[in-house]
Amino acid sequence: MMILASNYYEIDFDALYKAQKAKSSFGKKLAEHWDKKAPSFSEGVMKSAYAREFIDKVDFTGVSTLLDFACGAGALSVLAAEKVDQIYGYDFSPKMLEFARENAQIYGAKNAKFAQKAFEDDWSDVPACDIVFASRCLEVDDLKTALNKLLSKTKKSLYITFKVGGSFVDGDILDAIGREVEQKPGFVYLLNILFQMDYLPSLSYIKAQCHGGGAKSAEEFMQKTRWMLGDELSGAEEARLAEYFNSGKYEPKRDFMHWAFVRVDKMDEP
């Protein structure tokens, strides 16, 4: 008897992801945005429990090479340096790469090499490695294409983290400025796209403390809100946000966030 395909396969999660990403109210962060963020990001991530927990979840058995794509300031590369022979780190932000090289030197990660590259670039010169990291970097326009690129460079396992929930902004802040937002596509799209690509992703979670704490001034509060929205604030929104902050109603609620930790093992060729 022939087993017919489930109606699950009638759902095009790749198309649904792209549609939700296009609808999302959150602006796209470019290399120049991350260049400006790099100093504070580097300071926070090198001290973060998130990076240590990520590394603790990785199976380094029989691993000699690591590709750390969208490596940022190099925290994962630094922590993995003593566990592998060679690390190749890539990021599209020149300033992040400056901090990655500096951190590698400070912490003695002499086996880490860094170069500039984006998901949209030609990857013909990117080496295939035993394991690949894609940490907090897959909010891309075309998720399936990015996954195919990462998996094409993976010999053993690909490790991904993706934010749980479709917004970094508390609802109280959105209410204060009077803005409605369309959420970003969540990590469930990632899991289903991988499954429809015939992979069997495994899932766990990282509960990460937010570094930096709450805003100390109305101007800092506005800067943080702009970053989380990926968008500018109108004059009216800035006024409402300042009023909300100065009224004493503002209390930072999100002292942590959850990240989906997804492992994808390469299947043996038939």
Side-chain angles (χ1 to χ4, degrees):
M1 179 181 293
M2 181 181 296
I3 299 176
L4 300 177
S6 163
N7 61 2
Y8 166 84
Y9 290 93
E10 297 174 12
I11 304 172
D12 188 340
F13 285 97
D14 178 40
L16 287 174
Y17 173 90
K18 290 175 181 174
Q20 184 63 33
K21 189 71 171 67
K23 279 196 333 183
S24 171
S25 306
F26 295 85
K28 185 176 182 178
K29 292 184 175 68
L30 305 175
E32 53 262 36
H33 298 138
W34 284 107
D35 283 347
K36 293 178 182 177
K37 185 76 171 178
S40 61
F41 183 85
S42 177
E43 181 181 357
V45 77
M46 295 307 297
K47 301 174 183 177
S48 75
Y50 164 86
R52 293 191 297 273
E53 188 168 349
F54 185 110
I55 294 297
D56 286 344
K57 288 177 172 286
V58 174
D59 181 2
F60 286 97
T61 305
V63 170
S64 62
T65 55
L66 162 64
L67 169 60
D68 185 6
F69 203 84
C71 63
L76 296 180
S77 292
V78 165
L79 289 173
E82 62 182 17
K83 301 176 183 293
V84 299
D85 296 329
Q86 185 63 57
I87 297 170
Y88 303 93
Y90 293 90
D91 203 277
F92 74 160
S93 162
K95 199 67 179 175
M96 282 290 189
L97 290 169
E98 286 182 22
F99 280 100
R101 294 185 181 101
E102 181 179 311
N103 288 325
Q105 184 174 12
I106 291 171
Y107 293 96
K110 296 180 180 179
N111 55 344
K113 297 180 180 179
F114 299 99
Q116 187 174 359
K117 196 171 291 289
F119 276 111
E120 298 79 13
D121 293 340
D122 174 24
W123 281 30
S124 59
D125 60 340
V126 175
C129 293
D130 293 325
I131 58 175
V132 176
F133 293 169
S135 168
R136 304 190 290 193
C137 64
L138 277 177
E139 289 184 357
V140 293
D141 293 334
D142 190 338
L143 179 56
K144 188 174 181 179
T145 295
L147 287 170
N148 274 318
K149 279 193 164 184
L150 290 164
L151 288 162
S152 74
K153 301 300 180 179
T154 304
K155 295 180 181 179
K156 291 179 176 287
S157 300
L158 166 63
Y159 295 90
I160 299 166
T161 47
F162 203 104
K163 187 180 176 299
V164 176
S167 170
F168 285 95
V169 190
D170 285 329
D172 289 348
I173 295 175
L174 296 173
D175 290 342
I177 63 176
R179 183 185 289 204
E180 293 183 349
V181 300
E182 281 277 1
Q183 293 196 16
K184 302 175 183 179
F187 75 96
V188 291
Y189 294 85
L190 168 70
L191 295 176
N192 282 291
I193 289 171
L194 284 166
F195 188 75
Q196 289 187 331
M197 292 168 65
D198 295 325
Y199 289 96
L200 298 175
S202 60
L203 173 66
S204 59
Y205 297 93
I206 294 175
K207 183 178 179 180
Q209 189 80 20
C210 298
H211 67 266
K216 304 297 190 297
S217 67
E219 181 54 39
E220 184 185 357
F221 189 41
M222 289 180 200
Q223 289 176 355
K224 286 178 177 286
T225 303
R226 288 188 196 101
W227 175 259
M228 289 185 293
L229 286 170
D231 193 14
E232 290 299 319
L233 298 169
S234 69
E237 287 175 332
E238 287 187 354
R240 293 191 197 105
L241 206 58
E243 181 181 358
Y244 174 66
F245 181 88
N246 292 325
S247 70
K249 296 177 183 177
Y250 164 66
E251 293 180 5
K253 295 179 181 178
R254 185 164 294 168
D255 55 351
F256 66 89
M257 62 180 63
H258 286 93
W259 296 90
F261 183 91
V262 179
R263 172 176 170 168
V264 188
D265 292 329
K266 289 295 289 285
M267 295 167 286
D268 293 332
E269 295 295 333

